[in-house]
Amino acid sequence: MRILIFLLALGVAIIGIQMIDFRGIKVPSLISPYSVSPTDWTKEKVLTEINDFRQAKNLGVLVTNSKLNKAAKARLAVITSYEDILGDSTGLSREASLEMVDYSYSWVGDLILLDSIRDIDLISFWENIPNSKQTLEEINLKEVGIAVKQTDKTVTIYVILSTPKTVVATRRLSVVSWGGPELWTAINKRRVELGVNELRQKDELCTIAAIRLNQVLDIGKLDGHSGFESTLSREDLKWISEKYNISEFLISGYDTPQLAVDAWENTLGHKKLLSGGEYVWGCVYAQSRFGVAIAAY
């Protein structure tokens, strides 16, 4: 019987990967019909919320992995169909879902939100659950997979987070006391001083910034934007460059956000980040004296 249940669950998981449109699935409404414009929970927004939290604590930002996205969809399909959060009855635990998509890991954790109102403060919710808070703050995390099921009033989110097996876990070292939020504030402050609008954050631009920051951190130096075009050309990301005119600004080696902004202002071609009134949206991530600013219109 257990084998039969597992096979049925596996079938649901595969269907969840290939066919389920989570945005269209209806579940009972849990909030007042008078609520106006509830939060739109896309995968990009969930990732941005997580990365903003990690940036504020000087932790590394995460990037999505297509295999992890498939594993997350499979887990969410099983959770919603069988109410089997741990995978005990179906056998499709988070570890089993990673084996199903052939993903090797040295550490794995997950974050779950079930049938909540869409206006929930997602990070505060997870911060109040000890295991979830510990997962959010794990220093060695590198990659993430996200699945979202949303109705007009409710949202269910499943996030699987991991350290790939090829990444060697390290202890947290002393870090510079500023990161993306501080650099973002310094950029917008200078833009206002120069008479142009502040940049407004866009989740999809944060996806680009997170990927690019991880790329330069991996090589330990700026890459002269060599990875920028290839990132924008990725099949899962090229829609972003088709929607926006995007520019990238890189910085490294400065002890304070203000020094980084001063360096941009005094470098040919980079001052437009601060004075370019054409730019409307943006996102900034920074860690260990490396910064990536993405601006767009």
Side-chain angles (χ1 to χ4, degrees):
M1 179 62 69
R2 181 178 175 84
I3 294 175
L4 178 59
I5 293 175
F6 174 75
L7 291 175
L8 289 172
L10 184 60
V12 171
I14 293 173
I15 292 172
I17 291 173
Q18 297 178 344
M19 298 179 62
I20 291 179
D21 180 3
F22 291 118
R23 294 174 67 88
I25 296 177
K26 301 295 183 181
V27 299
S29 176
L30 299 180
I31 61 176
S32 166
Y34 301 105
S35 178
V36 178
S37 301
T39 303
D40 184 18
W41 287 106
T42 62
K43 289 190 292 186
E44 291 80 13
K45 179 169 181 56
V46 174
L47 179 61
T48 298
E49 293 274 330
I50 293 171
N51 276 336
D52 284 352
F53 171 83
R54 289 176 62 84
Q55 278 279 277
K57 292 182 174 292
N58 293 309
L59 300 168
V61 296
L62 308 179
V63 297
T64 54
N65 177 285
S66 59
K67 289 184 177 181
L68 291 181
N69 277 339
K70 290 180 180 179
K73 283 187 177 182
R75 285 283 293 135
L76 186 56
V78 168
I79 288 170
T80 55
S81 297
Y82 289 87
E83 298 183 356
D84 184 20
I85 294 177
L86 297 179
D88 290 337
S89 61
T90 63
L92 198 71
S93 63
R94 65 190 181 196
E95 291 80 6
S97 72
L98 295 182
E99 292 176 10
M100 186 176 69
V101 298
D102 193 29
Y103 180 91
S104 297
Y105 62 93
S106 60
W107 193 94
V108 62
D110 57 11
L111 301 167
I112 304 174
L113 176 74
L114 295 177
D115 289 327
S116 169
I117 59 171
R118 283 173 53 180
D119 289 331
I120 189 170
D121 185 333
L122 186 62
I123 298 301
S124 293
F125 172 78
W126 282 330
E127 276 195 288
N128 287 315
I129 303 173
N131 286 345
S132 296
K133 186 175 189 295
Q134 183 178 356
T135 297
L136 282 170
E137 296 178 350
E138 169 57 44
I139 182 65
N140 293 300
L141 288 175
K142 290 289 185 179
E143 296 181 335
V144 64
I146 301 170
V148 178
K149 182 183 76 174
Q150 183 169 268
T151 70
D152 290 342
K153 303 299 181 183
T154 66
V155 62
T156 294
I157 297 171
Y158 183 82
V159 183
I160 191 163
L161 312 95
S162 82
T163 304
K165 199 166 187 178
T166 54
V167 176
V168 178
T170 58
R171 291 185 307 161
R172 185 171 182 178
L173 303 176
S174 60
V175 294
V176 177
S177 60
W178 63 272
E182 292 83 5
L183 186 56
W184 174 257
T185 298
I187 289 169
N188 274 330
K189 179 176 181 292
R190 187 56 180 153
R191 285 179 62 85
V192 171
E193 290 172 351
L194 292 174
V196 296
N197 56 289
E198 292 187 354
L199 298 176
R200 297 191 304 244
Q201 183 168 293
K202 279 282 185 181
D203 296 339
E204 51 265 49
L205 300 182
C206 289
T207 299
I208 302 296
I211 291 172
R212 291 291 292 135
L213 179 60
N214 274 282
Q215 288 174 353
V216 297
L217 287 173
D218 283 345
I219 63 176
K221 62 180 180 180
L222 301 183
D223 63 2
H225 307 287
S226 63
F228 183 52
E229 288 300 325
S230 60
T231 297
L232 294 182
S233 299
R234 278 177 36 172
E235 283 299 316
D236 58 330
L237 299 176
K238 64 182 181 181
W239 68 271
I240 301 175
S241 60
E242 292 170 353
K243 182 177 179 180
Y244 304 100
N245 290 299
I246 305 176
S247 298
E248 177 185 67
F249 303 87
L250 304 177
I251 200 75
S252 70
Y254 294 92
D255 290 335
T256 69
Q258 188 57 56
L259 288 174
V261 168
D262 291 344
W264 268 326
E265 186 169 358
N266 290 289
T267 304
L268 184 65
H270 289 78
K271 186 176 180 179
K272 288 194 70 176
L273 171 64
L274 308 171
S275 62
E278 69 271 27
Y279 293 123
V280 179
W281 300 290
C283 189
V284 174
Y285 282 136
Q287 182 183 347
S288 302
R289 297 187 179 86
F290 286 93
V292 176
I294 302 296
Y297 59 91

